Amino acid sequence: MAPPSSLSFFYILLFSSVSAIANTNPITLPLNAFPHLSSSDPLQTLTFLASASQNRAHQIKTPKSNSVSKSPLFPHSYGAYSTPLSFGTPQQTLHLIFDTGSSLVWFPCTSRYLCSECSFPKIDPTGIPRFVPKLSSSSKLVGCQNPKCAWIFGPEVKSQCRSCNPKTENCTQTCPAYVVQYGSGSTAGLLLSETLDFPDKKIPNFVVGCSFLSIHQPSGIAGFGRGSESLPSQMGLKKFAYCLASRKFDDSPHSGELILDSTGVKTSGLSYTPFRQNPSVSNHAYKEYYYLNIRKIFVGNQAVKVPYKFLVPGPDGNGGSIIDSGSTFTFMDKPVFEAVAQEFEKQLANRTRATDVESLTGLRPCFDISKDKSVEFPELIFQFKGGAKWALPLSNYFALVSSSGVACLTVVTHKTEAGGGGGPSVIFGAFQQQNFYVEYDLVNEKLGFRQQTCT
């Protein structure tokens, strides 16, 4: 796809090389809930986040293998978290959604940036912060023959470099425009080579998407997936970690932390479980995800009966579980969800079901606890390969959804009764990760975690 004529102003950009400042200390950034959602109507808020989680799961499970971007995005990343990143010379700082389920890093770009259907709560589409390349002396477009162009388009991109002589490297044709499609929206733009700027470290020639048009996507994305174009890959990180502050559904300025670590120094006090590779070669998008090895799911002391095929990805790539910071609530395929939900219903059979709230929110089961002085629910525990157990505190899997005192399980499944489909069977979402220190050890291919307060 050739860039449209209206983008001609991109082609006059200055470039100057910036030397990297050697520094091996971990970089710590704030992670903020995005956006701040009003607590005046918790029912509406939880309904929004449940729908967002279902939309996200649908796109993760059925990525378009012929999409320009190898990783899916979705329009409701806004149950997730944002972090400030600075690009350019002089630097321009933007808040991007932190997403371990995709790899491309991109931001709203140029003074002509347009976002259609972007009227979200507390977001003014006309005032979306954007990066302006002409104000940066280190901006330049990625060329069509640049190997980094193939990160997005694959090796076949050379066939699109029709204006380039294959025998010369001095080709002025730019890398084709990318179009990332997702759920109910999309974003399009050109790849820039820019300087990613931290207080004590500069990353020159960092590839970032300069989006000039988006639909239903008011914020950029910081992709932390496994692709070559992701932030961890481009920075050569040995590990990264985060601590997600508890969602209060209000305007309080609480934030967690995102740690970018090039040292590889061991972190104490963590329970570890190895990552798992997806064996599928037919859908490259599955290679982007961080697969885990869930062995058992416990509700209280009862191990839920989950067929093995849902816990481990098969030769076709379907099944298994991933961890994803961009999903709000944990998603489970219908058979897995029903086994978990029915066990909660069985153990809480003496409580009154709030079926009206279930119908409104899409969450299930919901219970009326308005007359209870104290509340006790069975534990929800995920046991991983190696014996590590992730025991969730009650606030990480049940939430109050109305002032009348109704609590709902914050796990979602397919919107339709049929359910099913390909892709991962379990997507471990951000809501369930609140107030846990979570570490991705990229050298030793393992995930570590421990419970702690993240403010």
Side-chain angles (χ1 to χ4, degrees):
M1 174 180 174
S5 59
S6 62
L7 301 177
S8 58
F9 62 92
F10 273 113
Y11 298 121
I12 307 177
L13 295 172
L14 299 176
F15 173 74
S16 63
S17 31
V18 181
S19 299
I21 299 175
N23 190 297
T24 58
N25 292 327
I27 298 168
T28 302
L29 302 170
L31 272 177
N32 299 286
F34 181 83
H36 295 305
L37 298 174
S38 173
S39 60
S40 60
D41 190 349
L43 180 63
Q44 184 180 33
T45 297
L46 269 293
T47 300
F48 170 82
L49 293 176
S51 177
S53 303
Q54 290 170 323
N55 289 340
R56 168 75 168 189
H58 174 75
Q59 193 55 34
I60 281 181
K61 289 172 66 60
T62 56
K64 293 180 172 60
S65 59
N66 61 347
S67 173
V68 170
S69 171
K70 294 181 293 185
S71 306
L73 298 174
F74 81 113
H76 302 294
S77 297
Y78 317 130
Y81 294 78
S82 69
T83 190
L85 292 176
S86 299
F87 296 88
T89 309
Q91 65 178 234
Q92 302 174 46
T93 302
L94 298 169
H95 284 257
L96 305 184
I97 297 297
F98 168 63
D99 185 12
T100 61
S102 67
S103 293
L104 179 64
V105 180
W106 68 268
F107 44 50
C109 191
T110 82
S111 58
R112 302 186 188 186
Y113 176 76
L114 175 65
C115 188
S116 177
E117 301 178 20
C118 284
S119 297
F120 290 91
K122 303 189 179 182
I123 294 177
D124 178 7
T126 63
I128 294 173
R130 61 206 68 189
F131 184 86
V132 183
K134 68 180 181 180
L135 298 181
S136 171
S137 62
S138 52
S139 282
K140 69 174 182 179
L141 289 165
V142 173
C144 196
Q145 289 187 324
N146 189 322
K148 295 179 180 180
C149 181
W151 287 354
I152 308 299
F153 294 90
E156 64 275 9
V157 69
K158 292 184 178 180
S159 64
Q160 300 184 43
C161 304
R162 297 185 178 89
S163 300
C164 295
N165 185 337
K167 297 182 180 181
T168 179
E169 295 181 359
N170 298 323
C171 177
T172 58
Q173 183 178 347
T174 61
C175 186
Y178 62 82
V179 179
V180 181
Q181 296 180 333
Y182 48 91
S184 58
S186 59
T187 191
L190 297 172
L191 293 179
L192 288 182
S193 177
E194 250 301 0
T195 297
L196 175 58
D197 196 346
F198 297 102
D200 296 314
K201 187 172 186 177
K202 294 181 185 292
I203 312 297
N205 303 316
F206 188 93
V207 172
V208 59
C210 171
S211 283
F212 45 81
L213 174 65
S214 294
I215 299 175
H216 221 59
Q217 184 68 47
S219 176
I221 300 286
F224 273 68
R226 289 181 173 274
S228 299
E229 69 272 29
S230 74
L231 189 145
S233 295
Q234 292 197 63
M235 288 186 65
L237 298 181
K238 293 184 178 179
K239 62 183 179 180
F240 66 90
Y242 54 80
C243 202
L244 303 180
S246 179
R247 272 197 168 272
K248 303 298 183 182
F249 305 118
D250 57 21
D251 291 322
S252 57
H254 59 284
S255 65
E257 286 186 335
L258 171 62
I259 301 169
L260 313 179
D261 193 348
S262 300
T263 67
V265 176
K266 185 177 180 180
T267 307
S268 61
L270 301 186
S271 296
Y272 285 101
T273 183
F275 287 124
R276 186 186 189 96
Q277 297 296 321
N278 190 308
S280 173
V281 295
S282 61
N283 198 322
H284 188 82
Y286 294 161
K287 300 293 185 182
E288 303 278 328
Y289 307 148
Y290 294 97
Y291 277 83
L292 302 177
N293 294 273
I294 293 180
R295 287 291 185 255
K296 294 180 180 180
I297 301 175
F298 289 90
V299 175
N301 295 321
Q302 183 64 44
V304 176
K305 294 182 180 180
V306 178
Y308 184 74
K309 68 176 182 178
F310 293 105
L311 298 179
V312 177
D316 59 358
N318 298 327
S321 57
I322 68 170
I323 184 168
D324 177 34
S325 69
S327 295
T328 306
F329 298 147
T330 289
F331 170 90
M332 295 178 178
D333 264 344
K334 205 74 170 178
V336 184
F337 173 81
E338 287 298 335
V340 172
Q342 288 175 13
E343 186 59 37
F344 272 109
E345 292 165 3
K346 177 182 176 181
Q347 295 188 30
L348 296 170
N350 61 330
R351 293 192 177 276
T352 303
R353 289 279 293 277
T355 54
D356 55 337
V357 176
E358 293 178 2
S359 298
L360 288 170
T361 62
L363 297 173
R364 170 181 152 243
C366 296
F367 299 97
D368 185 347
I369 59 173
S370 59
K371 297 179 181 179
D372 295 348
K373 293 182 179 180
S374 62
V375 179
E376 290 187 9
F377 285 89
E379 280 190 300
L380 179 57
I381 302 172
F382 294 84
Q383 181 174 316
F384 299 95
K385 181 179 180 180
K389 291 184 178 181
W390 196 318
L392 301 181
L394 182 59
S395 58
N396 281 28
Y397 61 101
F398 267 92
L400 286 171
V401 296
S402 71
S403 57
S404 60
V406 173
C408 290
L409 178 67
T410 51
V411 176
V412 299
T413 189
H414 302 275
K415 292 183 178 180
T416 62
E417 285 299 320
S425 294
V426 178
I427 303 171
F428 198 69
F431 194 85
Q432 279 63 47
Q433 300 175 51
Q434 296 175 115
N435 288 318
F436 277 85
Y437 181 92
V438 184
E439 177 186 276
Y440 293 61
D441 187 333
L442 305 177
V443 174
N444 298 301
E445 284 290 316
K446 60 183 181 179
L447 181 84
F449 56 89
R450 69 170 179 240
Q451 188 173 357
Q452 70 177 55
T453 302
C454 293
T455 53

